[in-house]
Amino acid sequence: MIEGIGIENILIVNTLLFFIGIYGFLTRKNLVTILMSVELILTAVNINFVAFNKYYYPENLQGHFFALFVIAVAATEAAVAIAIIISLYRRIKVIDVERADEMKY
Amino acid sequence: MSDFGYTIIIPAILFISFLLIGFGGGKLKPVISGIAGIISVSVAAILSWITAYNYFFISGKVSGAYQSVIPFNTLWLKFTDRLYIDMGILLDPISVMMLVVISTVSLMVHIYSIGYMKGEKGFSRYFAFLSLFTFSMTGLVISTNIFQTYIFWELVGISSYLLIGFYYDKPSAVAAAKKAFIVTRFADLGFLVGILVLSSISGTFDFAVLNNPNGSSLASGTTSTFLGMSALTWSLILIYMGCAGKSAMFPLHIWLPDAMEGPTPVSALIHAATMVVAGVYLVARLFPVYAFFAPDALEVVAVVGVFTSLFAALIATTQTDIKRVLAFSTISQIGLMMAGIGVAGYGGEAGLGYMASMFHLFTHAMFKALLFLCAGSVIHSVHTNEIFEMGGLRKYLPYTHITFLIACLAIAGIPPLSGFFSKDEIMTAGLQKSSIIFIAELVIAGLTAFYMFRLYFIVFWNRETRYNKTPHESPIIMIIPLIILAAGSAFAGFIPFGSLVTSNGKPIVSHIHLEVALPALAFALTGIGISYVLYKKERVVPKKISSSMISFRIIVSNKFYIDQIYIFVTKKIIFNLVSTPVAWFDRHIVDGTMNAIAYLTNSVSEKIKGFQSGQLQQYAYVMISGAVLILFLIFYLLK
Amino acid sequence: MEKILFYIFSSVIIIFSIMCVTSRRILRAAVFLLFVLLSAAGIFFMMSYHFLAAVQITIYAGGIIVLFIFSIMLTSHVDEKLEAPAFKKVYFSFMACLLGACLTIFAFLKYEFPIPSSKQPVNSMQVIGKSLLNYESGGYALPFEVISILLLAAIVGTIMITRRDETK
């Protein structure tokens, strides 16, 4: 527990970070920037897990490990996403999420 | 009582032959279709003769009167308990007689057509349609109830349309087929309304119930009135409208002269011997209803018949196309048949007109078919229909000449040929009812003799025309039916019809009535004499006579301008006042509604299409908003 | 003291994340992301989860950001300014996010959280290492193995996706 900071403060920060990440995901055009927004979301979640772990269940380490695994998975996912982006770039020469609409009607 | 179950084969084999020739004829050699047609019609004819022999001479008569025998009657279509339509076979003096007439004349026409239609493309189609027609006509006469009659009536109309328009690349033939179908269809409108009124009064379609002389089912019809006549009388007059259309009575006669565009054997079968007498047949079939409950309707029948007969006989004297003369002659003779049945009453001596009408139907079938087939033989030789391009053909076409002469004598009513006997009976019945009718019939007899012999003399005698190609006699296969029909025309008069076909089944004694026969013979001989004088040798006298009555002659030879009146009424009145608004409504409102619905569906789906845009961020947005919305609902509505 | 530090870290997080999602130059966005991740690591340090913070810096800040920068270099023109998004998109996304954020914050502000405990977490490296490989209950050997397989799949998949077709 951090002295003087209640859980609500941390939660507010995390929520704001989370929704900023969502806003970025919905708004940005470049695929790499969308990926960055996803990283923001995952970071917010990480901090959340760790905060709850620290504040209410300090003798278990479940939140801590969960955050660890989230980091691992986020790294994996970023790598695969970059691979897809590069593959798409080879096809259509731009990384514009609105140009990648072959799944439309 | 022998079993008449085999009569089902008669229509069945004709229908099967229609299907086989129709579907298989295109692939086989044409002559096979012809032989198939002849075989099926021969089977039908032989069975009809056997039925006639059985019915009339062996088992039909029960306690002195011919009863109707019903070998089959099965439920076909059921609407409610009280409203249902059967299909069945009814054997009764007139239906058995008609079976014999139809199948025999059809057989003659089939044999003749093998020679006449040889080499035509569409040979198989022709025989298929002939089988269809024979099937429909046979079905019509053996119907057990009025609705089945209506079904076969329409089938006969279709067959006639198909056969008149047989040469479908000639626009005149197509127009004639359309005209025939439309006029008879229009008449059938009245027929259908009449059927509906009649069956709603009596609660049944069945002839056995309707024709029951006790007439218990029809009693209610005489009480309710509409414009002064009972509902039953109205229904019978409407039914008569259908008969008038089919039998070419004035003013629905306009289709029959144009129907001569079809091949000549078709004219012989359909428009002389069988289809056009369907109207007379139907009046005879419903005769007890007419006689007991609507004598006014019978008067209408008689008046229309006599008027039409006189009208058509007048027009026939001025026509120059050989088939048109015969067409108007047919109209005239059918008018006589209608007159005969119209003056009749039920049973005994009053039923003489009924018997006479049926007798004349029988003899007329034979000599009119013979006349048409001879005309076909002539046309086949000289390749023209106009009589003033023919002449002196007696040297070139001996068999045709003799048989044509026999037929002309028969139709003119010269004894001892058949026409004399049947006309004698009709005129006697007419005299019994009213002397005006009798005098009219005498004039008609004279005119008939005149125009028929005019035709005969101009074609076979008159001037010796130099032909480009020497006319040759027809092949033997066309001569045989002529000879058979000539024998029938000559000797059919000796059949004791009165003991076979009468209004109530009990025989009546028929004999020559000298007070009728002698004036009739006098008129006929006068007619023959005048035409002999005018037409046997080429003379200028006929031209002088016609130019002196030039205006009257023009009116008559243009068929009293009835066709033009019809065209005026249809084009100026019906098209402009009725058809155009209806067509506008159909195009803009009905079609417009459909188009609007389609347009609406289209535009809605265009909008909805946008949901599947392939845009990642749109999908994500929808997901997020949905989640937030659910969150919102959970917090604020499901506290 | 710790309060002030926390406020600094959280304001850095918020401000730089906003700038990351609205920046019009890609490289700057990547750098702002880096700062966010470093601040998050800072918060982890404050909560004395040292190992996690170290992992965060190494993998996230070190690995992923470098990956991003490489991919940016490979795929786009770095000098160009990115287009600003359409107003409609901005408006609707902003509204949705605002609504979501308000709802969530409101939800947990109303909730009565219990008093946090003040025990110290047991997170020395020996404990972490032993738990990771502990296959009895309470151990994390299974997720550990699963993650390794996931990484293997990711490696194979990445290579497969970006392989150029050389079979011609």
Side-chain angles (χ1 to χ4, degrees):
Chain A
M1 160 168 144
I2 304 180
E3 290 297 332
I5 308 289
I7 187 80
E8 294 94 358
N9 302 38
I10 304 188
L11 285 181
I12 289 177
V13 171
N14 286 339
T15 312
L16 286 177
L17 184 59
F18 181 81
F19 279 101
I20 288 171
I22 289 184
Y23 171 80
F25 183 88
L26 294 178
T27 310
R28 296 290 249 165
K29 259 176 72 169
N30 195 314
L31 274 170
V32 179
T33 47
I34 291 182
L35 213 47
M36 292 182 200
S37 314
V38 173
E39 298 303 331
L40 286 179
I41 296 173
L42 288 171
T43 307
V45 167
N46 264 348
I47 305 180
N48 227 349
F49 275 122
V50 167
F52 272 106
N53 184 312
K54 175 77 194 278
Y55 272 59
Y56 293 110
Y57 307 98
E59 60 279 353
N60 297 340
L61 283 179
Q62 281 170 336
H64 169 266
F65 277 107
F66 207 94
L68 198 62
F69 293 133
V70 167
I71 292 177
V73 170
T76 313
E77 160 233 330
V80 178
I82 298 283
I84 294 176
I85 289 174
I86 291 193
S87 191
L88 184 69
Y89 177 75
R90 284 194 194 144
R91 269 190 88 205
I92 56 178
K93 300 292 180 280
V94 284
I95 322 225
D96 191 347
V97 72
E98 284 168 4
R99 288 284 307 273
D101 61 354
E102 281 188 30
M103 295 276 277
K104 71 175 180 183
Y105 57 79
Chain B
M1 160 92 139
S2 62
D3 169 41
F4 286 102
Y6 56 84
T7 47
I8 188 78
I9 299 181
I10 300 177
I13 194 169
L14 291 162
F15 187 62
I16 291 173
S17 107
F18 160 64
L19 288 176
L20 284 176
I21 301 177
F23 286 117
K27 310 192 180 65
L28 303 168
K29 282 169 54 143
V31 70
I32 296 189
S33 323
I35 294 180
I38 289 188
I39 290 178
S40 61
V41 172
S42 318
V43 168
I46 293 174
L47 283 176
S48 307
W49 293 331
I50 294 177
T51 313
Y53 180 70
N54 260 342
Y55 182 82
F56 282 123
F57 298 113
I58 298 185
S59 58
K61 206 182 232 187
V62 174
S63 63
Y66 283 104
Q67 304 286 359
S68 34
V69 172
I70 301 189
F72 294 102
N73 199 9
T74 55
L75 182 67
W76 179 59
L77 192 62
K78 182 167 175 161
F79 295 104
T80 65
D81 274 335
R82 277 193 4 134
L83 180 61
Y84 54 88
I85 302 177
D86 294 334
M87 283 281 176
I89 298 186
L90 170 69
L91 295 177
D92 153 307
I94 44 175
S95 68
V96 174
M97 174 199 84
M98 285 297 292
L99 273 180
V100 170
V101 167
I102 295 167
S103 49
T104 314
V105 176
S106 184
L107 180 60
M108 297 298 119
V109 167
H110 270 83
I111 297 178
Y112 183 89
S113 304
I114 300 251
Y116 187 83
M117 300 292 286
K118 186 171 183 165
E120 293 266 353
K121 72 174 173 71
F123 191 88
S124 307
R125 180 166 58 101
Y126 176 83
F127 276 94
F129 290 155
L130 273 188
S131 290
L132 176 66
F133 171 78
T134 317
F135 160 69
S136 323
M137 195 69 208
T138 314
L140 197 157
V141 301
I142 56 176
S143 305
T144 50
N145 57 70
I146 200 166
F147 215 86
Q148 184 182 351
T149 310
Y150 184 70
I151 294 172
F152 281 104
W153 192 270
E154 295 300 328
L155 265 176
V156 167
I158 289 280
S159 316
S160 164
Y161 167 82
L162 291 170
L163 282 165
I164 296 175
F166 182 73
Y167 298 119
Y168 53 78
D169 32 20
K170 262 187 8 171
S172 54
V174 170
K178 266 197 305 193
K179 186 174 180 178
F181 191 69
I182 291 177
V183 171
T184 49
R185 197 75 190 86
F186 170 67
D188 291 344
L189 175 67
F191 188 20
L192 186 62
V193 175
I195 291 180
L196 294 175
V197 175
L198 182 64
S199 58
S200 78
I201 292 176
S202 61
T204 175
F205 288 120
D206 201 73
F207 282 133
V209 176
L210 284 174
N211 281 343
N212 192 351
N214 303 337
S216 47
S217 59
L218 295 170
S220 65
T222 48
T223 50
S224 46
T225 59
F226 176 70
L227 288 185
M229 287 198 282
S230 74
L232 194 55
T233 313
W234 272 107
S235 76
L236 289 172
I237 291 183
L238 283 169
I239 291 182
Y240 181 64
M241 180 173 158
C243 303
K246 199 63 116 200
S247 297
M249 295 287 105
F250 181 87
L252 296 166
H253 65 283
I254 48 172
W255 63 272
L256 191 52
D258 287 6
M260 298 295 120
E261 296 284 340
T264 312
V266 162
S267 307
L269 178 61
I270 298 188
H271 306 125
T274 40
M275 181 177 108
V276 290
V277 299
V280 185
Y281 174 77
L282 186 64
V283 176
R285 171 60 75 216
L286 281 173
F287 189 69
V289 185
Y290 275 100
F292 286 122
F293 296 101
D296 303 338
L298 273 184
E299 281 187 20
V300 172
V301 172
V303 166
V304 170
V306 171
F307 178 76
T308 307
S309 188
L310 193 54
F311 174 82
L314 265 180
I315 298 182
T317 58
T318 61
Q319 295 298 307
T320 58
D321 180 323
I322 188 173
K323 287 175 74 172
R324 290 218 159 45
V325 175
L326 294 177
F328 280 104
S329 162
T330 307
I331 300 177
S332 176
Q333 297 299 307
I334 298 174
L336 270 187
M337 291 180 220
M338 288 287 191
I341 201 166
V343 301
Y346 191 79
E349 270 304 307
L352 182 64
Y354 181 97
M355 188 275 280
S357 170
M358 292 293 110
F359 193 16
H360 197 61
L361 199 159
F362 187 79
T363 58
H364 172 263
M366 283 197 259
F367 53 68
K368 193 45 70 64
L370 175 58
L371 278 170
F372 269 105
L373 293 182
C374 292
S377 180
V378 168
I379 295 172
H380 186 74
S381 312
V382 301
H383 304 290
T384 175
N385 284 14
E386 291 291 322
I387 54 179
F388 286 111
E389 295 170 16
M390 310 174 193
L393 280 176
R394 71 190 181 285
K395 294 202 277 278
Y396 303 102
L397 309 172
Y399 289 103
T400 313
H401 174 218
I402 300 292
T403 47
F404 196 89
L405 181 59
I406 294 178
C408 284
L409 288 173
I411 197 174
I414 307 295
L417 289 107
S418 55
F420 167 71
F421 295 98
S422 54
K423 276 198 184 183
D424 177 62
E425 305 286 353
I426 289 191
M427 289 203 259
T428 312
L431 178 60
Q432 278 175 1
K433 185 85 179 212
S434 124
S435 18
I436 302 182
I437 294 185
F438 178 61
I439 294 177
E441 286 174 355
L442 283 177
V443 172
I444 291 169
L447 280 173
T448 308
F450 171 68
Y451 65 70
M452 285 311 302
F453 273 90
R454 165 181 177 264
L455 188 63
Y456 167 73
F457 283 124
I458 294 181
V459 172
F460 290 99
W461 294 81
N462 210 303
R463 65 190 169 116
E464 307 291 331
T465 317
R466 183 78 37 120
Y467 293 102
N468 296 343
K469 290 195 317 189
T470 316
H472 54 93
E473 180 62 277
S474 311
I476 186 79
I477 197 160
M478 284 163 67
I479 303 287
I480 291 180
L482 298 181
I483 298 181
I484 298 179
L485 284 172
S489 311
F491 299 118
F494 297 108
I495 299 177
F497 230 75
S499 57
L500 298 174
V501 177
T502 56
S503 53
N504 57 356
K506 296 193 182 53
I508 48 181
V509 179
S510 52
H511 54 274
I512 317 262
H513 304 87
L514 280 177
E515 72 271 16
V516 167
L518 288 177
L521 202 52
F523 269 82
L525 288 171
T526 317
I528 298 180
I530 296 179
S531 63
Y532 180 94
V533 164
L534 287 178
Y535 293 109
K536 177 159 188 273
K537 299 210 184 44
E538 193 174 8
R539 283 163 170 249
V540 294
V541 177
K543 288 203 179 50
K544 280 206 207 143
I545 297 181
S546 75
S547 54
S548 68
M549 308 199 295
I550 189 85
S551 48
F552 182 67
R553 183 190 182 281
I554 290 184
I555 296 181
V556 174
S557 77
N558 280 327
K559 311 175 201 120
F560 289 96
Y561 294 110
I562 300 281
D563 278 313
Q564 283 81 346
I565 295 177
Y566 268 103
I567 290 181
F568 176 78
V569 169
T570 8
K571 280 217 169 113
K572 295 285 186 304
I573 300 182
I574 297 185
F575 278 4
N576 285 346
L577 291 184
V578 177
S579 310
T580 316
V582 172
W584 180 90
F585 182 81
D586 179 56
R587 213 170 297 129
H588 289 105
I589 297 186
V590 175
D591 282 355
T593 313
M594 290 298 125
N595 287 346
I597 292 178
Y599 178 73
L600 199 64
T601 313
N602 238 0
S603 51
V604 168
S605 84
E606 285 274 332
K607 297 277 170 18
I608 296 182
K609 196 166 68 161
F611 280 141
Q612 291 287 326
S613 62
Q615 299 285 340
L616 172 70
Q617 289 174 326
Q618 182 186 316
Y619 296 162
Y621 172 72
V622 172
M623 224 165 70
I624 302 288
S625 333
V628 167
L629 220 59
I630 291 179
L631 208 58
F632 188 79
L633 285 173
I634 291 177
F635 275 129
Y636 280 99
L637 302 181
L638 302 174
K639 283 261 181 65
Chain C
M1 174 56 192
E2 289 187 335
K3 239 163 83 159
I4 298 176
L5 210 53
F6 174 75
Y7 281 135
I8 293 177
F9 277 137
S10 47
S11 49
V12 163
I13 285 182
I14 301 287
I15 293 174
F16 277 105
S17 66
I18 291 178
M19 287 168 67
C20 173
V21 296
T22 56
S23 160
R24 294 185 65 186
R25 303 219 191 170
I26 307 184
L27 272 186
R28 294 196 188 177
V31 171
F32 295 147
L33 181 66
L34 173 66
F35 282 134
V36 169
L37 294 174
L38 287 177
S39 309
I43 294 188
F44 289 154
F45 271 122
M46 275 176 56
M47 296 198 203
S48 64
Y49 280 114
H50 313 291
F51 176 65
L52 192 60
V55 165
Q56 165 101 347
I57 292 179
T58 315
I59 296 181
Y60 250 131
I64 291 182
I65 295 296
V66 171
L67 193 59
F68 276 152
I69 291 183
F70 273 133
S71 78
I72 289 171
M73 296 296 183
L74 277 178
T75 60
S76 46
H77 303 222
V78 282
D79 332 345
E80 280 177 14
K81 275 190 154 195
L82 288 180
E83 290 170 30
F87 177 71
K88 215 172 66 154
K89 213 189 213 184
V90 166
Y91 174 73
F92 280 115
S93 320
F94 185 72
M95 280 300 133
C97 295
L98 189 66
L99 185 61
C102 291
L103 272 177
T104 319
I105 294 179
F106 180 71
F108 64 70
L109 279 183
K110 277 184 69 156
Y111 184 67
E112 305 276 338
F113 280 101
I115 302 189
S117 71
S118 47
K119 290 207 273 198
Q120 284 298 321
V122 186
N123 58 349
S124 64
M125 283 308 299
Q126 285 87 345
V127 172
I128 291 176
K130 282 225 172 87
S131 312
L132 263 184
L133 294 175
N134 190 0
Y135 48 82
E136 290 152 23
S137 76
Y140 296 92
L142 183 59
F144 183 70
E145 299 299 332
V146 168
I147 294 281
S148 28
I149 295 189
L150 177 70
L151 284 168
L152 175 67
I155 292 175
V156 173
T158 313
I159 295 177
M160 280 303 299
I161 289 174
T162 54
R163 194 169 64 146
R164 280 194 210 267
D165 229 350
E166 287 153 3
T167 56
K168 293 208 217 342

